Amino acid sequence: MLLSAYLITLNESEHLAEVLERLQGVDEIVVVDSGSTDGTQDIARRFGARVVHQDWLGFARQKAHAMSLCQGEWVLSMDGDEVLQPGAIDHIRHLVATTPMNGFTIPRHEVFMGRPMTSSRPDQMMRLYRKDKAEWDLVRLVHEHVEVQQPTGRIAPHMIHYGNDTVAKALGKINSYSSLKAQQKQNAGKRGSVAKMLLSPLGYFTRYMLVRHFWKEGLPGLVYAGLQAGYAFLSEAKLLELQRKQRGKSN
């Protein structure tokens, strides 16, 4: 089997049909679901996916488990709210049949405040790789990362991400992800400081607005960059909170 696609899901019915429609043409689709109650599993089966239940293990461990179930030489990792552009699978199948590379990043554009933000520089997400050349970093609690042996490259077809499409949805993720980020930093022995809490938001905002050209997106770009600055602030603030609690227990 040449190409498998895998997803981890929990109540992803809103966009899953479109996601799976654009994955048609792979040799298998594996969906690892952690207990959806909105029809996600039925949608996945309708598109020919093999659906497996797995209680939530954390982002990295859940994806590592899903990858282990794939039979393809190459695997394509997608989320239930990420939609590949039309024709991407044909491009990918031709590429993986002929390339000496071990993996490829796929550009990802955010949908936010009602429209795709495609004028700015996208995230480059490592999502396509040889299964036997890839290993998930199981230490990370958030912003999970798969290590792929070199050489790697980039592909041109992009994907659209609906996971932060409204301010309210983005704020909800920022709150939960910043808690995980703070815990991850504490687990790694990193120390927070008031200086980092105040300066890191400026760094995030500058990177999004100037380096990644989110100024080209108008108001949505400005708001999104501000939210990312808020994520940086909250991550450091929550790390300081964890440190205070730890000191209180040791006293």
Side-chain angles (χ1 to χ4, degrees):
M1 192 176 288
L2 177 65
L3 178 62
S4 301
Y6 69 92
L7 303 85
I8 62 171
T9 57
L10 176 64
N11 295 331
E12 296 285 2
S13 64
E14 184 177 3
H15 299 290
L16 187 60
E18 187 179 6
V19 173
L20 297 177
E21 177 64 37
R22 296 287 173 83
L23 289 176
Q24 297 304 294
V26 302
D27 295 312
E28 70 167 348
I29 301 174
V30 175
V31 172
V32 174
D33 188 82
S34 53
S36 294
T37 57
D38 66 344
T40 288
Q41 297 180 29
D42 293 334
I43 295 170
R45 292 189 181 98
R46 193 165 75 238
F47 281 89
R50 175 159 57 102
V51 179
V52 178
H53 174 81
Q54 172 61 56
D55 291 340
W56 184 243
L57 302 171
F59 288 108
R61 293 181 183 277
Q62 196 82 352
K63 289 190 175 183
H65 176 63
M67 186 178 78
S68 74
L69 299 176
C70 294
Q71 301 177 64
E73 176 187 351
W74 283 82
V75 291
L76 173 62
S77 172
M78 299 290 294
D79 287 344
D81 52 15
E82 294 174 338
V83 179
L84 286 169
Q85 74 177 94
I89 292 300
D90 288 340
H91 175 89
I92 287 170
R93 286 195 69 91
H94 174 75
L95 180 68
V96 301
T98 58
T99 184
M101 296 288 191
N102 289 328
F104 294 90
T105 61
I106 301 177
R108 187 179 80 171
H109 295 282
E110 296 289 338
V111 174
F112 186 63
M113 295 181 72
R115 65 175 180 83
M117 296 195 294
T118 55
S119 298
S120 52
R121 292 179 178 174
D123 285 309
Q124 290 290 339
M125 316 295 288
M126 180 57 70
R127 294 302 182 82
L128 177 66
Y129 34 86
R130 298 181 193 270
K131 182 182 175 183
D132 64 350
K133 302 295 184 182
E135 185 174 359
W136 281 96
D137 179 355
L138 300 181
V139 174
R140 292 197 183 197
L141 302 179
V142 69
H143 305 309
E144 61 279 6
H145 177 69
V146 62
E147 295 285 349
V148 179
Q149 296 178 28
Q150 294 296 322
T152 62
R154 298 181 178 183
I155 68 170
H158 66 258
M159 56 184 167
I160 297 293
H161 180 224
Y162 289 94
N164 299 305
D165 55 353
T166 67
V167 173
K169 194 181 292 186
L171 278 172
K173 285 194 173 182
I174 283 170
N175 186 40
S176 60
Y177 285 10
S178 59
S179 296
L180 291 171
K181 183 70 171 181
Q183 186 64 61
Q184 180 176 295
K185 286 184 174 183
Q186 186 183 52
N187 293 349
K190 295 184 178 179
R191 306 294 297 173
S193 70
V194 173
K196 287 181 183 178
M197 184 178 68
L198 297 177
L199 292 176
S200 60
L202 178 60
Y204 267 65
F205 186 79
T206 301
R207 178 159 61 91
Y208 274 87
M209 289 299 289
L210 301 182
V211 178
R212 294 188 56 188
H213 297 175
F214 269 61
W215 60 270
K216 294 181 179 179
E217 307 290 355
L219 179 62
L222 176 64
V223 174
Y224 195 85
L227 288 171
Q228 298 309 308
Y231 168 74
F233 180 87
L234 286 174
S235 298
E236 293 298 329
K238 290 178 179 181
L239 177 58
L240 289 172
E241 182 180 44
L242 288 173
Q243 289 173 187
R244 287 172 65 90
K245 288 181 179 178
Q246 190 175 50
R247 286 197 299 268
K249 290 180 180 178
S250 62
N251 291 337

